[in-house]
Amino acid sequence: MVTSKFEGRYDRNFNTLSRKEQKTLGASKVAVIGLGGLGGGVCEMLARVGVGHLTLIDGDSFEASNLNRQLLSEEHLIDVPKAEAAKNRVNAINSEVIVNHLVEYLDESNMYERIKNADLVMDCLDTIDIRFILQKAAQKASIPIVSGAIAGVAGQVTTIFPGDKGYELIYGKKGGKQSKGIETRTGNIAYCALFVAALQSSECLKVLLDRGDILRNKLLIAELWTNTFDIMDLV
Amino acid sequence: MIKINLKLFVTLSKYLPKDSECLEIPEATSVEKLMSDFGIPGDLVKLIFINGKRQDSNYRLKNNDRVGLFPPVGGG
């Protein structure tokens, strides 16, 4: 997908990315699970940078409380499924991206089937227990996960490879029984959601291109009131 | 006595004691004891980082340790 019907589409990717890397991205398959504050930003960035195949999954529809931060939400899209809006947005940005969109909540019964053909999964979920289900399925399918989570103006990003302990190191062994974190009290602010989505997108490219420093067994923590940016060792 | 640098993130920041950057505590205090001594609710703490590495609440603090406590973050 280096050649495009829009000549010059990827010109400004070069030479931060090589033409060979651009081609690799064009052949890459990424599943984005959760199309809210994080997932909307991730879709936008992956489509623009040229990831060639996107599977976009969310069972939810937009409501007014999404408008403060979710890039895909618009006033006239209230009650419209997020996955439909995501597909339309990606098509509008880059019609050469092959999009498979699913208006569907994922759980233990369908997670593996939906992600098994991806090269990488972007965890943009908003519940902790489903993240554990995702990790189990991704490990079975031998797929890496790039995970983001936000609360207020704080966020965290990590990358989990097959065989890693992953979420257990972040949320504890019993974390899988927990649904929500402190975001139920802090809400989520737009610039933090998009900031963490950007970090996730960067991490996604590095994994796909096998390049740069990857947050494996590490947790990048950011807190924007205090401009705290730290990378912590999880093991 | 030893001195530590304590940082509390997000919803925990309201429990930050005075002089948190140079907090005097008895040697070999555990993180669990530290939390209880300063009224930081342990059930709200999900991640404990000492000098940038994840530890559990039994960790016994040493002079000049940098301690960071994080609540569970799960929003998307």
Side-chain angles (χ1 to χ4, degrees):
Chain A
M1 221 170 64
V2 175
T3 52
S4 165
K5 67 181 173 186
F6 286 88
E7 200 180 330
R9 175 191 289 280
Y10 297 119
D11 277 4
R12 296 297 179 272
N13 282 356
F14 308 129
N15 289 318
T16 295
L17 302 178
S18 71
R19 287 175 192 273
K20 191 179 165 203
E21 286 172 329
Q22 189 71 58
K23 204 171 170 186
T24 300
L25 292 182
S28 295
K29 298 173 185 162
V30 173
V32 184
I33 304 185
L35 298 167
L38 296 176
V42 162
C43 285
E44 179 89 13
M45 288 180 255
L46 296 189
R48 287 192 188 277
V49 80
V51 171
H53 305 256
L54 293 175
T55 299
L56 310 174
I57 311 172
D58 198 320
D60 201 11
S61 297
F62 288 114
E63 52 189 79
S65 65
N66 300 148
L67 291 166
N68 82 317
R69 68 194 185 286
Q70 298 190 13
L71 197 61
L72 294 166
S73 67
E74 296 177 27
E75 290 177 4
H76 70 102
L77 295 179
I78 301 295
D79 295 328
V80 169
K82 295 180 181 185
E84 266 183 45
K87 177 198 71 172
N88 292 338
R89 179 65 185 162
V90 170
N91 284 344
I93 295 166
N94 190 344
S95 58
E96 288 155 48
V97 176
I98 296 165
V99 181
N100 176 24
H101 79 291
L102 298 167
V103 182
E104 186 177 42
Y105 288 109
L106 297 186
D107 56 27
E108 262 184 307
S109 70
N110 57 3
M111 184 72 81
Y112 174 75
E113 282 302 314
R114 299 297 179 266
I115 67 164
K116 68 179 183 187
N117 294 323
D119 298 314
L120 183 148
V121 183
M122 298 295 271
D123 163 18
C124 302
L125 289 157
D126 64 356
T127 44
I128 294 168
D129 48 353
I130 306 292
R131 293 177 197 264
F132 279 82
I133 293 171
L134 167 62
Q135 180 170 306
K136 197 175 164 192
Q139 303 235 331
K140 185 178 169 191
S142 296
I143 303 168
I145 302 169
V146 174
S147 174
I150 48 174
V153 295
Q156 59 192 38
V157 180
T158 189
T159 296
I160 302 167
F161 282 85
D164 292 352
K165 283 191 175 175
Y167 298 123
E168 186 187 316
L169 298 173
I170 297 168
Y171 298 112
K173 276 188 180 168
K174 291 178 184 168
K177 292 175 184 164
Q178 182 182 2
S179 174
K180 297 284 183 183
I182 52 157
E183 64 282 357
T184 52
R185 282 189 284 158
T186 60
N188 288 303
I189 302 297
Y191 52 79
C192 184
L194 292 172
F195 169 67
V196 171
L199 292 172
Q200 280 185 273
S201 302
S202 160
E203 201 67 5
C204 172
L205 255 71
K206 289 185 286 180
V207 174
L208 293 175
L209 300 176
D210 191 19
R211 180 178 169 182
D213 296 333
I214 288 164
L215 292 165
R216 183 175 191 178
N217 289 322
K218 292 175 189 291
L219 188 69
L220 188 152
I221 286 175
E223 207 281 333
L224 301 178
W225 290 129
T226 54
N227 288 326
T228 299
F229 306 97
D230 274 323
I231 295 172
M232 306 293 192
D233 291 320
L234 291 170
V235 293
Chain B
M1 298 292 274
I2 56 168
K3 286 180 180 175
I4 62 160
N5 179 337
L6 177 63
K7 269 186 156 182
L8 303 181
F9 291 93
V10 206
T11 44
L12 297 174
S13 61
K14 63 184 171 192
Y15 300 104
L16 198 65
K18 276 185 185 172
D19 304 321
S20 60
E21 289 182 6
C22 193
L23 200 61
E24 275 206 15
I25 58 165
E27 199 168 347
T29 301
S30 69
V31 176
E32 193 170 8
K33 178 85 167 43
L34 175 83
M35 292 191 291
S36 124
D37 286 354
F38 286 93
I40 303 161
D43 56 338
L44 299 183
V45 175
K46 188 54 90 174
L47 281 167
I48 298 166
F49 291 108
I50 312 289
N51 305 322
K53 189 174 187 326
R54 179 180 161 275
Q55 301 286 356
D56 64 35
S57 60
N58 298 322
Y59 176 89
R60 293 195 177 270
L61 292 158
K62 300 178 186 72
N63 198 32
N64 296 323
D65 273 350
R66 289 179 294 111
V67 182
L69 304 181
F70 232 78
V73 170

